[in-house]
Amino acid sequence: MVEYSVMSMKIRISYTTPQELHTVTELLKPIIKSCKADKGVNGQYKRAYLEVDIPEGKVQKGVNSSLI
């Protein structure tokens, strides 16, 4: 039996157009567990909340490196 660890994170995204949110979710699609967008928000920026699972083997521990 193979076991692996998963790091779970919550991410808040601010965006102005639905296309921006779509672009981000397409890039993160392989690791997204859930995505919830605020409804009825008036203002310049809208918000979406993502929950992602990153396999432990994909995480880089360096401060100045990207996570995946």
Side-chain angles (χ1 to χ4, degrees):
M1 179 157 104
V2 176
E3 275 190 47
Y4 62 94
S5 300
V6 175
M7 180 190 320
S8 186
M9 307 183 132
K10 293 183 180 183
I11 301 170
R12 182 179 68 192
I13 298 172
S14 297
Y15 63 97
T16 55
T17 66
Q19 291 81 12
E20 290 175 332
L21 178 60
H22 178 73
T23 300
V24 172
T25 56
E26 284 299 310
L27 290 169
L28 297 175
K29 192 181 248 183
I31 60 171
I32 291 177
K33 186 175 174 182
S34 68
C35 176
K36 295 179 184 174
D38 279 345
K39 295 181 181 169
V41 177
N42 295 328
Q44 182 178 1
Y45 297 102
K46 297 176 176 97
R47 290 192 193 123
Y49 302 90
L50 303 178
E51 193 170 338
V52 298
D53 285 336
I54 302 172
E56 196 67 38
K58 296 280 186 179
V59 177
Q60 296 177 0
K61 306 288 184 185
V63 175
N64 293 323
S65 62
S66 61
L67 288 176
I68 51 176

